[in-house]
């Protein structure tokens, strides 16, 4: 690929992994036998197919005899849907799916409707996620199958498949998931997902085109998709494509080292942050705030056409999410189902990263979009890291030698010494010192800047071991336990984007137990509009209560005029809520 050619369409197709090419090479020039032949030429081919089957099974966490090789994801989906329907017509004729499925699911279901099937298509929310309770409500005594994709090919949203599986299992209904986009990117072990059938597409995980697999849980009633001889234990007739099966097996073995893709996720997040910092409200993220594939950035260039954006990126391979005509904009079915406003969705562009994507390539794309390093703000993590690297603790504007108001509000909650308390943005706060002085023993401090936490640990010395320290953006923090008190003196008002506030509130709801107290300090309505070079949102208690929404009851508030080390007065508003 030349310097001017940048491939960011890995959700469409992937190149062959080098290990895949090497594994396939002998079957291009040496091993030509039929795997069904019982002689010297067939034996190596048979062994290769079964080794490949075991490699696929290892990635999926199933037994090899539960893997059927197919010609790709489309055939796997067709086999699952039609095979279950035809084999279970004596039990029912109803199938449930979602509005954001790939055409390889929706079109076979349209075909089955012509044969008498009843299909229910469920809606999704603004992030593209289906509500498991909607699945529960859609089930009838005639339902034989639910099909919900694991991760969306356009926006990357990951569906709550395991939650849905618990519902279908209790109802005695089979569950299929189209995992074409997720296999090799995120965990897809069938036991954890709880699915009965799972589709794999080879060319989405660095294997060749024309090969896929279908996991069929042992004991599942399913009609063969292709009839003929007894290949694939009688489940798919036709001589196995040894060459491509070997390629898929090798790709699955390599994928075990890539599941989760943390390095790719970091590149994607950094890329999105640069775009959002430059374009501000003129750029939105489809699926933002939901769990997404680590490689997928589907963004809307608001008020522009996606095709126009890509036309200004010569040599960049990416995809659009809409088609613009003379008088109208036709959103993709996925964006339409997510109810993306046409003004936003018309500018949708999907950048899907891969294992070989480099930050240098992404910087070239950013530069072509007019996003230069000088013109864009750093990520929030880089910004705050820079603040604490350049300033002494006593020089930051929110420094307090003793946070009396925060202490008083925490005492009002009735929290005892055994209470679990989390302090957000607490790296530069002396609250942790004061709480340790008062005997609190179960403290967690979360800060986006590692430098701030390092300073606090150094300041506390041996006492730091009594505290759990977490370096994370709270909007993406996944707490592993619940807390009695959530304290945030100066984080929430920096959440100026809707998606960041939604992500923050989702973390708050998962982290604070019912009956627990949330103490949130923000700039008051007459406070500053910017802090540390960043814009902020200002709140009065009622406005903050409306932002938190149902489930949080405002119990009291305290106003504070904080004098910064530089002598400026910052008007704060502390509000205390009870989680109901």
């Amino acid at each position: 690929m030349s310097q001017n050619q940048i491939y960011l369409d890995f959700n469409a197709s992937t190149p062959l992994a080098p290990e895949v090419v090497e594994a396939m090479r002998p079957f291009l020039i040496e091993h030509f036998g039929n795997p069904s032949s019982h002689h010297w030429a067939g034996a190596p081919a048979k062994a290769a197919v079964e080794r490949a089957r075991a490699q696929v099974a290892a990635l999926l966490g199933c037994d090899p005899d539960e893997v059927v090789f197919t010609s790709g994801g489309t055939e796997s989906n067709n086999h699952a849907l039609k095979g279950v329907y035809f084999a279970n017509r004596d039990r029912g004729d109803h199938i449930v799916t979602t509005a954001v499925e790939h055409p390889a699911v929706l079109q076979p279901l349209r075909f089955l409707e012509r044969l008498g099937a009843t299909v229910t298509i469920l809606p999704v929310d603004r992030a593209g996620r289906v509500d498991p309770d909607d699945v529960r409500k859609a089930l009838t005594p005639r339902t034989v199958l639910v099909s919900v994709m694991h991760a969306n090919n356009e926006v990357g949203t990951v569906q709550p498949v395991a939650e849905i599986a618990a519902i279908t299992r209790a109802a005695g209904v089979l569950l299929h998931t189209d995992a074409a986009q997720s296999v090799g990117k995120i965990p897809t072990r069938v036991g954890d997902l709880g699915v009965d059938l799972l589709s794999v597409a080879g060319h989405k995980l660095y294997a060749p085109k024309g090969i896929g697999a279908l996991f069929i849980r042992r004991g599942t009633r399913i009609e063969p998709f292709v009839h003929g001889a007894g290949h694939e234990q009688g489940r798919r007739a036709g001589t196995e494509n040894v060459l491509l099966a070997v390629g898929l097996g090798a790709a699955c073995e390599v994928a075990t080292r890539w599941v989760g893709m943390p390095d790719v996720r970091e590149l994607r997040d950094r890329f999105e942050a640069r775009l959002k910092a430059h374009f501000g409200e003129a750029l939105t993220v489809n699926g933002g705030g939901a769990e997404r594939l680590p490689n997928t950035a589907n963004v809307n260039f608001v008020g522009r056409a996606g095709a126009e954006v890509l036309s200004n990126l010569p040599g960049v391979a990416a995809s659009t999410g809409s088609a613009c005509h003379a008088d109208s904009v036709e959103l993709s079915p996925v964006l339409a189902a997510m109810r993306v406003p046409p003004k936003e969705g018309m500018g949708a562009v999907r950048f899907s990263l891969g294992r070989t994507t480099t930050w240098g390539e992404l910087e070239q794309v950013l530069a072509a979009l007019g996003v230069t390093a000088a013109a864009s703000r750093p990520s929030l993590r880089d910004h705050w890291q820079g603040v604490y690297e350049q300033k002494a603790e006593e020089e930051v504007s929110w420094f307090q030698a003793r946070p009396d108001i925060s202490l008083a509000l925490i005492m009002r909650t009735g929290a005892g010494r055994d209470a679990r308390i989390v302090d957000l943005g607490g790296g530069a706060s002396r609250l942790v010192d004061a709480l340790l002085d008062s005997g609190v023993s179960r403290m967690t401090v979360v800060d986006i800047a590692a430098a701030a936490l390092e300073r606090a640990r150094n300041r506390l010395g041996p006492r730091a071991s009594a505290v759990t320290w977490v370096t994370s953006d709270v909007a993406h923090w996944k707490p592993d336990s619940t807390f009695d008190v959530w304290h945030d003196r100066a984080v929430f008002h920096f959440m100026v984007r809707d998606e960041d506030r939604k992500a923050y509130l989702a973390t708050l709801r998962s982290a604070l137990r019912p009956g627990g107290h949330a103490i949130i300090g923000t700039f008051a309505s007459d406070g500053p509009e910017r802090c540390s070079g960043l814009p902020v949102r200002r709140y009065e208690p009622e406005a903050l209560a409306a932002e938190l929404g149902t489930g949080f009851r405002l119990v009291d508030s305290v106003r504070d005029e904080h004098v910064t080390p530089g002598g400026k007065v910052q008007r704060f508003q502390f509000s205390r809520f009870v989680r109901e």
Side-chain angles (χ1 to χ4, degrees), residues 126 154-155 281-287 298-310 319-325 328-350:
R126 184 65 174 77
E154 288 189 36
V155 300
E281 295 183 357
L283 184 132
T284 57
V285 178
N286 292 314
N298 190 305
V299 299
N300 301 312
F301 294 87
V302 180
R304 300 173 65 184
E308 172 208 340
V309 173
L310 287 182
S319 300
T320 62
S322 61
C324 296
H325 306 290
S328 65
V329 175
E330 182 181 350
L331 299 184
S332 75
V334 171
L335 297 184
M338 292 168 58
R339 299 181 296 284
V340 175
K343 185 178 179 180
E344 292 184 37
M346 67 182 287
V349 177
R350 183 190 69 186

Side-chain angles (χ1 to χ4, degrees), residues 405 409 412 518-522 524 539-545 553-560 572-577:
I405 290 179
L409 288 170
R412 290 184 197 178
I519 300 167
I520 300 178
T522 64
Y539 293 91
E540 290 301 313
E542 295 75 15
L544 185 58
R553 176 170 53 86
L554 178 66
V555 291
D556 65 359
S557 61
V558 177
R559 195 173 172 83
D560 177 44
F572 271 81
Q573 183 70 55
F574 287 84
S575 302
R576 181 165 63 95
F577 301 85

Side-chain angles (χ1 to χ4, degrees), residues 192-244:
D192 296 335
L193 293 175
V195 295
D196 302 290
L197 304 112
L198 181 145
S199 298
V200 179
H203 72 110
K204 308 293 187 182
L205 72 148
Y206 303 84
K209 298 171 182 63
I211 186 67
L214 177 64
F215 158 74
I216 305 175
R217 187 176 298 280
R218 192 178 294 113
T220 300
R221 293 176 62 183
I222 185 168
E223 181 72 16
F225 185 63
V226 179
H227 295 85
H231 307 89
E232 296 293 287
Q233 300 182 57
R235 295 172 298 187
R236 184 195 189 264
T239 301
E240 293 89 348
N241 191 322
V242 181
L243 175 71
L244 300 189

Side-chain angles (χ1 to χ4, degrees), residues 92 256 275 394 455 483 579:
T256 60
L275 288 172
E394 295 78 9
R455 285 184 181 180
F483 296 89
R579 174 85 189 273

